[in-house]
Amino acid sequence: MYTSLLRRKTAGEALFDAVNTFGMLLVCFVTIYPIWYVLVNAFNEGQDAMRGGIYWWPRVVSLDNFQAVFNNPGIMLAMGVTVAKTVIGTPAHVFFTAMVAYAFSRRELVGRKIYMLLGTITMFFNGGLIPFYLLIRDLHMLDNFLVYIIPAMFNFFDLIIFLAFFREIPAGLEEAARIDGANDFSIFVRVVIPVSMPVIATIALFHGVYQWNDYFTGMIYINNMDLQPIQTYLYRVIAQSSSNIMMAAMPGGITKSVTSQSIKLATMVVTTLPIVLVYPFLQKYFVKGMMIGSIKG
């Protein structure tokens, strides 16, 4: 009888494992297939794609859509703005937030608990879009590239992640540096930063993805088309359904084989690919960073 119950339990576990595996495969399919669909249609000839029926593989393989994207000066200029604000904004955010977090980690900081309370409140409440717009205007950052950098240099949630890591750094490292004559800033740059690569890579990935995908800042605070990032450019094109913008400055031979829809899909691929390629290089640091503070003792 015991053996029979054991067999039933084993069969039930096998059924549970099968259902669990099927559920995970279904979630993976629902997550990945839309990306695959965009990729397949981006590599298919635009005019042929209008007939429909393309679900798994390109029916007429063509690179004209991507050629049209790279030949469009507006798209390439917007891509340059996105790359610039990501490359400049991410290190600036990481360094400034880490520096503030290091100050918060010092127990001798006067008013530390009050600062933590005030910072925590800002995570749940803010003044709203209109007061922030007026602030940006008064700081003369409308239609200014710095609007992508300065307001995003600090985030209190990222400070908490940094703070949890800094508290785990052995105090002996800082004491040894202080005996050698290093001041607080030297300790931060020469001791704390080098041993904090896991959390730095994690925050850099978080903020880098934010900077790359951010379209709202360019839509609200930038009217100059030369300063709009690629995500804002793509948002305006899709929202306006304007084929004229997408097909501007294209060679005549290309316009015969592409459509506004096919170029939109190709643009999505071009804008998504760089940030996807960066992730594998930061994954090991990302996993370590996410474990920060999870185990005590």
Side-chain angles (χ1 to χ4, degrees), residues 49-288:
M50 293 182 63
R51 295 163 45 200
I54 301 175
Y55 302 108
W56 302 106
W57 305 102
R59 189 163 50 217
V60 180
V61 179
S62 174
L63 297 178
D64 287 348
N65 297 323
F66 293 95
Q67 185 178 354
V69 170
F70 290 113
N71 283 337
N72 190 315
I75 294 178
M76 296 311 298
L77 180 60
M79 179 68 76
V81 173
T82 299
V83 171
K85 78 187 190 75
T86 302
V87 171
I88 298 173
T90 301
H93 171 84
V94 170
F95 184 81
F96 187 80
T97 304
M99 186 166 54
V100 177
Y102 177 68
F104 271 61
S105 68
R106 311 303 301 169
R107 296 187 180 277
E108 61 269 22
L109 177 66
V110 178
R112 182 164 60 97
K113 293 184 179 180
I114 297 177
Y115 299 149
M116 287 294 297
L117 176 62
L118 295 176
T120 304
I121 292 175
T122 64
M123 296 176 62
F124 303 97
F125 304 97
N126 59 69
L129 178 60
I130 294 178
F132 191 72
Y133 180 89
L134 297 177
L135 175 63
I136 296 297
R137 184 196 64 182
D138 293 341
L139 292 175
H140 305 287
M141 285 195 293
L142 294 179
D143 281 337
N144 191 324
F145 181 79
L146 292 178
V147 76
Y148 299 123
I149 309 300
I150 295 179
M153 285 181 64
F154 179 76
N155 181 279
F156 197 79
F157 177 79
D158 293 344
L159 178 142
I160 293 175
I161 298 177
F162 271 119
L163 191 59
F165 188 91
F166 291 160
R167 285 174 176 171
E168 295 179 359
I169 297 177
L173 291 177
E174 299 182 23
E175 293 175 0
R178 200 173 297 278
I179 291 175
D180 291 337
N183 57 26
D184 289 330
F185 186 77
S186 297
I187 294 174
F188 171 70
V189 174
R190 298 181 181 180
V191 178
V192 176
I193 291 296
V195 302
S196 304
M197 290 309 299
V199 68
I200 288 175
T202 301
I203 300 302
L205 181 62
F206 283 162
H207 192 73
V209 171
Y210 162 76
Q211 283 283 10
W212 188 271
N213 291 330
D214 178 36
Y215 74 93
F216 188 76
T217 302
M219 184 177 65
I220 299 297
Y221 307 110
I222 300 294
N223 292 319
N224 185 356
M225 293 295 292
D226 292 340
L227 290 177
Q228 288 190 343
I230 187 63
Q231 304 296 350
T232 304
Y233 186 94
L234 186 60
Y235 169 82
R236 292 185 183 276
V237 168
I238 294 176
Q240 297 172 3
S241 298
S242 174
S243 59
N244 293 329
I245 297 178
M246 298 299 293
M247 294 188 176
M250 294 183 194
I254 297 179
T255 57
K256 297 178 181 178
S257 61
V258 302
T259 63
S260 60
Q261 181 66 21
S262 67
I263 301 177
K264 291 174 187 177
L265 296 177
T267 306
M268 291 179 189
V269 174
V270 172
T271 56
T272 305
L273 188 60
I275 202 67
V276 172
L277 294 178
V278 169
Y279 179 78
F281 298 99
L282 298 177
Q283 184 178 12
K284 61 178 180 179
Y285 297 110
F286 178 73
V287 173
K288 292 179 183 178

